[in-house]
Structures are given as C-alpha cells and as structure tokens.
Amino acid sequence: MQKSTILFLISILFLVVSCASNNFEKELKPVTLENTIYNVPYFANPEIDYAYKANISVYGNDLSGIFIAKKINATTHRVVFTTEFGNKLLDFEISETDFKVNSIVDELNRKILINTLKTDFKLLLKNKFQIKEQLEDTENKVYKSEDESEFNYLFASKAEGKLFKIVHSTKRKEQISINFTSENNTFAENIIIQHYNIKLRIELNYLKN
C-alpha cells in the first residue's frame, strides 16, 4: 500500500455524495415480534481467528490487505489489518461501549478514516441486537433495531433462516449495508461493506488454511 494512495483515501472520505431516500421499509409489512434479541452468528466464536483477504475500492482506487478479527472476551473484538506482506497497518479493540487504538501507522492516523472504520467494524462485529420491531416481505424476515436516532435492519431469509444483510440507516437514508454469503449460517465466507454517502466498498473473502 503506497503512502500516496493512503493519503488519497483519507482525503476523499471528506467528499460526501447524495443518496436515495430510505424506501425499502415501505415495501415491508409489520408482523408480530418473535424475539427482542437477535444473536448474530458471525464473528461469535472466540476460538476462531477470522482471517480474510480485504479489497477496498474507494472512488475508483483499489487497495488490498489482510483483515483479521478475533473475539477476545464476551464483549470485545480485536481487529488487525495488515499488508499482504504481513506489515501491520492498524490494531483496534472494539466493543459496544469502548473503542481502543492499540496501534496505527502514521499515514492512516487520521480522525475521519478511524471514525469510518470504527463505524464499519462495530456494525460488522456486533453479535447481539436489541430488536424493536419485526417486518417481512414474501421471502425475508427483517428485524429492526434502534440506536438513538439511527436504525439497523437485519435481513434473514425465511426459507433458510440465514442472516444475509444488515442495513444501517437514518430515518430517511441508508448509510451502510453489509452483505453476507454463508453456507451454514455460522461463518461468513464472503462479506461486502457498501457505503451510500461515500464511494467506499470493502470486500472480505475468507482465507482458507
């Protein structure tokens, strides 16, 4: 990862583009709430080091590296991002109530970038959501969780029961979606994090031993 590319990534995170209104909820109908807690199975096993090849696309520029996440206790995950040659770029600890930067290279040590990754990784690694409302369409169940003035929608297929998408949204606009591809609903082989207010896309592909 070249220094010039990193600096370009940081600079363009300041550029915000318009996004569409939050229309997907209009296509859903409310149903009786099954459970007030939704447990996300991904990144939940403390015995597994979740290692992925990471590809980041931002305003037409592509970066790559290795993303490693591990659950270190009941509430906290540790995230390490390295180059493909093993050089550590950042090391975070993330929980519901705390965020700690263990280390980060100078080129990445910018508030706008750290806050963006903090939001992405916190949503990705969250294992438990408090559910306020349940909705559905013909194929999917959708669980709505409220976080102050923002919302998280968890999409699970009716047929298989698999969680395949999380949408982070304000009342009017979708901000981030996370799409999961999982064969057994306990481990996600492919993950795509897509931003709607900036042209940022992160794809994670599981690294098999």
Side-chain angles (χ1 to χ4, degrees), residues 11 13 15 40 50 80 101 108 145 162 202:
S11 65
L13 285 175
L15 299 176
V40 177
Y50 297 90
V80 175
V101 179
L108 295 177
S145 176
K162 291 181 182 180
I202 301 173

Side-chain angles (χ1 to χ4, degrees), residues 179-190:
N179 291 271
F180 303 95
T181 300
S182 173
E183 293 183 359
N184 55 20
N185 202 34
T186 60
F187 189 91
E189 288 80 16
N190 172 266

